[in-house]
DNA sequence: TTGTACGCGTTATCAC
DNA sequence: GTGATAACGCGTACAA
């Protein structure tokens, strides 16, 4: 029971290795009878062509590498799904590497994908700029998804984070909220951290609302971060002076909601909470999450298609620049108009001027 | 700017290709001076050894294939994380294939992994039995995780689903519940469907409680399935006659909770709900989920280690049989003792005999 | 210690 | 239409 190769099949079917190869790649150039004979032998032997040898001989692997920050992030599957579909539509496979939110592992990821000679790379970790020189040497086209470069025109697909957060705050304001807190991403994160913070600031300025730094919390996008940030925002007073909170991720929004619950505050009756992402998760909780939706599927699809186009064009690097894809506000249950009493038998909201 | 290979480096550093290869694989067998020279050249040229050529030349790829049913399943990252760690501990990489809950894609997955000459395969889709003949021909060791074979001693790691559900029901009974409904997995699913149903039945019989088929709903483990199943369970009467519901997955439990919420019933005050899995998700909702925890991390780790052991031993198939890893009940908020009033300022539970 | 030559499994370029 | 033969990039006896 040894390894069955193209020449095993050749021997078995009484033809040359070259013919077996032809049956695999250009079946029309081999006589029907011979072809049938070879195919029969392949099945009989359970022959499976080696992708390694193929990739070595052809100069392409038909594989595209995907370098993600972390598989545990809830957004990943929603994005990856569309990438996978787009890749398969063009007959390519994906090689996934999980950087686990580590810079070192990100570099290892590039090395891994380069070693496996992928035809192109989809990158969706932030930040990207430190890896630009590395990418250049790779001699393989790279397209960015959910992230962007500040100083390089690499092709990228994402939402306009500044505008998205601006719109989130504007939405809350349109619902009567004027005291709005923010749970931001990390200040070091120039992609989804500072940008969304900036959007928050711009919105406040635009609507002439005061900016209070004590109403801004920070966290690493996870549930626990949202919980902790909310705790800190609350610590100033038992009754918060703000009426709404926007978080930079759905997970953090859920953490915030849980924190409020533990403090005896109800969402949205006592306080409105808004998320960011619109994960599948956002519809699975009570209350369901009002949030700004990132078009994960579209981002994945567009990015993959752009990468494939670059590959097919033989480009060694992309220069398409940033493509902002439209976000949208999804209204669900976690935000209530301010100053309007709820329809149920609940006590009217009264969370101003009591303590601070 | 052409492809830089082992002989490019050789030329650049004035040695033979063999020496470059040695620097890569047996650095100690090359003089320090030469080594430094070669390494310098490698860095200068940005040399990256081809994993394809390496895999072809050695007979192993140091890669292990992972065939999963669906990346979108919430349990996946929790399991994969530990697999990844175990694999890297032995210096191997993972090749992931997402079968997307399709039988056809599962076969494609085996073909894909075989083509890439992985040294072993971790399989965690159900069912497995249809693929056993295929696996045999692969000539590569396969270990099962989260699933098992009915008629083959392939090594497998999972929880004892019958006992786990038995314990879940026993727990509810210990909390005073005697009317317990079930949201089961699909009756066609012999791994996580019928087994857990069987555990439910055994528990009822053991505690001499009547089995009511109208208290059993079915679904495909997803949120929406849980919602729909709950609707059906509820349809008999406005006020359900049961006081607790166990679901075969956390997701379905959340769906059930949401359904109850939409019907104006509170969890756990009016009805207790218990999940199955203990996903990260289970701590992110309100109420948090009382559930039976699967040891995902341990399953992933043990399975991976077993596979690596088989690989190192040169085995072409595994015969370790099923290893049941211990589950445990995690008490959180979604289950309340029956007949005991809650501690808060909530109205006492009264969900019997009012309507039906 | 270092270099030469062959094999790994496949494709591609030739002749036949 | 089919069959030798030379790459593809690397590892490894074997010889030097």
């Amino acid at each position: 029971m040894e390894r069955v190769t193209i020449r095993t099949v050749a021997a078995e079917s009484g033809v040359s290795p070259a013919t077996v190869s032809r049956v695999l790649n250009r079946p029309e150039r081999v006589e029907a009878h011979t072809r049938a004979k070879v195919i029969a032998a392949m099945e009989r032997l359970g022959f499976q062509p080696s992708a390694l040898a193929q990739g070595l001989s052809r100069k392409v692997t038909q594989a595209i590498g995907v370098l993600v920050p972390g598989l545990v992030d809830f957004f990943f599957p929603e994005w990856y799904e569309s990438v996978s579909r787009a890749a398969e539509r063009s007959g390519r496979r994906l090689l996934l590497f999980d950087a686990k939110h580590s810079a070192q592992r990100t570099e290892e990821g590039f090395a891994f994908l380069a070693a496996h000679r992928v035809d192109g790379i989809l990158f969706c970790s932030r930040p990207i700029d430190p890896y630009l020189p590395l990418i250049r040497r790779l001699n393989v086209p790279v397209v960015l998804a959910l992230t962007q470069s500040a100083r390089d025109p690499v092709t990228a697909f994402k939402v306009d984070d500044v505008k998205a957060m601006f719109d989130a705050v504007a939405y809350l304001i349109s619902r009567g909220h004027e005291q709005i807190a923010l749970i931001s991403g990390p200040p070091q994160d120039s992609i989804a951290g500072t940008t969304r913070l900036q959007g928050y600031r711009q919105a406040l300025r635009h609507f002439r609302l005061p900016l209070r730094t004590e109403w801004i919390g920070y966290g690493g996008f996870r549930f626990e971060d949202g919980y902790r940030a909310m705790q800190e925002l609350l610590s100033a007073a038992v009754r918060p002076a703000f009426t709404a909170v926007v978080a930079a991720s759905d997970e953090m929004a859920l953490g915030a909601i849980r924190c409020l619950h533990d403090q005896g505050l109800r969402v949205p009756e006592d306080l409105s909470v808004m998320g960011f992402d619109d994960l599948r998760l956002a519809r699975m909780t009570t209350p369901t999450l009002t949030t700004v939706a990132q078009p994960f599927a579209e981002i994945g699809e567009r990015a993959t298609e752009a990468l494939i186009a670059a590959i097919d064009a033989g480009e060694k690097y992309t220069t398409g620049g940033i493509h902002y894809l439209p976000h949208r506000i999804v209204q669900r249950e976690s935000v209530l108009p301010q100053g309007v009493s709820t329809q149920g038998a609940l006590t009217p909201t009264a969370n101003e001027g009591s303590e601070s």
Side-chain angles (χ1 to χ4, degrees), chain A:
Chain A
M1 202 50 125
E2 282 316 304
R3 316 187 79 81
V4 35
T5 81
I6 209 172
R7 48 193 4 97
T8 319
V9 178
E12 173 83 7
S13 50
V15 299
S16 78
T19 300
V20 179
S21 178
R22 270 188 217 101
V23 171
L24 243 36
N25 304 296
R26 289 175 164 67
E28 70 281 2
R29 292 196 192 175
V30 51
E31 202 187 1
H33 174 63
T34 320
R35 193 195 315 156
K37 217 168 48 180
V38 172
I39 292 181
M42 295 201 301
E43 306 228 308
R44 204 172 327 129
L45 272 53
F47 168 72
Q48 179 66 252
S50 161
L52 274 51
Q54 288 183 324
L56 196 60
S57 188
R58 312 168 172 167
K59 287 161 22 188
V60 294
T61 55
Q62 298 285 71
I64 81 181
V66 183
L67 189 37
V68 298
L71 285 183
V72 294
D73 302 331
F74 280 120
F75 76 80
F76 165 72
E78 323 215 354
W79 172 79
Y80 187 81
E81 175 66 22
S82 63
V83 172
S84 165
R85 259 203 310 274
E88 268 158 36
R89 210 180 302 140
S90 81
R92 289 164 224 254
R93 297 293 182 185
L94 297 179
L95 225 54
L96 186 64
F97 191 91
D98 176 11
K100 296 182 182 174
H101 296 283
S102 142
Q104 187 198 329
R105 277 192 61 90
T106 304
E107 290 194 18
E108 288 177 30
F110 279 115
F112 171 75
L113 297 176
H116 284 268
R117 301 294 189 258
V118 294
D119 299 334
I121 294 180
L122 230 43
F123 182 89
C124 68
S125 253
R126 37 175 188 267
I128 171 68
D129 285 331
Y131 308 105
L132 281 175
L134 204 165
I135 289 180
R136 284 277 170 271
R137 314 193 63 186
L138 249 41
N139 244 356
V140 153
V142 174
V143 166
L144 272 31
L146 303 168
T147 187
Q148 69 181 71
S149 167
R151 52 171 199 268
D152 197 290
V154 204
T155 306
F157 294 87
K158 65 188 289 291
V159 297
D160 183 337
D161 283 284
V162 178
K163 189 162 189 320
M165 185 54 90
F166 182 101
D167 290 345
V169 175
Y171 168 76
L172 288 172
I173 294 174
S174 79
R175 310 297 281 172
H177 292 277
E178 298 194 335
Q179 283 83 30
I180 303 170
L182 170 71
I183 299 181
S184 166
Q188 309 86 344
D189 183 341
S190 63
I191 305 297
T194 55
T195 47
R196 295 178 193 172
L197 173 56
Q198 195 186 338
Y200 168 80
R201 286 184 142 128
Q202 287 187 4
L204 292 189
R205 192 177 331 125
H206 182 266
F207 291 98
R208 308 192 186 288
L209 294 173
L211 175 72
R212 306 214 193 168
T213 54
E214 70 273 21
W215 284 2
I216 302 180
Y218 298 88
F221 299 105
R222 307 278 297 240
F223 179 83
E224 295 75 15
D225 299 313
Y227 192 99
R228 194 170 2 84
M230 194 70 223
Q231 268 181 319
E232 288 165 15
L233 291 178
L234 248 33
S235 64
V238 176
R239 286 274 168 168
F242 43 84
T243 64
V245 186
V246 217
S249 76
D250 281 353
E251 257 202 68
M252 287 204 293
L254 292 183
I257 288 176
R258 181 62 201 194
C259 175
L260 291 167
H261 171 88
D262 290 348
Q263 301 293 324
L265 293 169
R266 293 162 306 168
V267 175
E269 293 83 358
D270 296 328
L271 209 64
S272 287
V273 174
M274 190 160 174
F276 196 113
D277 280 342
D278 191 30
L279 305 176
R280 194 155 72 85
L281 194 54
R283 271 164 289 159
M284 295 172 51
T285 57
T286 301
T288 53
L289 227 47
T290 291
T291 189
V292 12
Q294 295 204 57
F296 289 109
E298 196 185 345
I299 290 175
E301 179 162 354
R302 295 279 306 274
T304 308
E305 286 173 351
L307 178 60
I308 291 175
I311 293 172
D312 288 341
E315 299 171 9
K316 289 307 177 194
Y317 52 88
T318 62
T319 56
I322 305 172
H323 299 254
Y324 289 126
L325 266 37
H327 56 271
R328 67 178 214 286
I329 306 292
V330 180
Q331 305 190 34
R332 296 209 182 87
E333 302 169 347
S334 65
V335 170
L336 227 47
Q338 173 64 3
V340 179
S341 70
T342 55
Q343 59 218 45
L346 300 161
T347 57
T349 340
N351 52 350
E352 283 168 29
S354 48
E355 281 264 359
S356 70

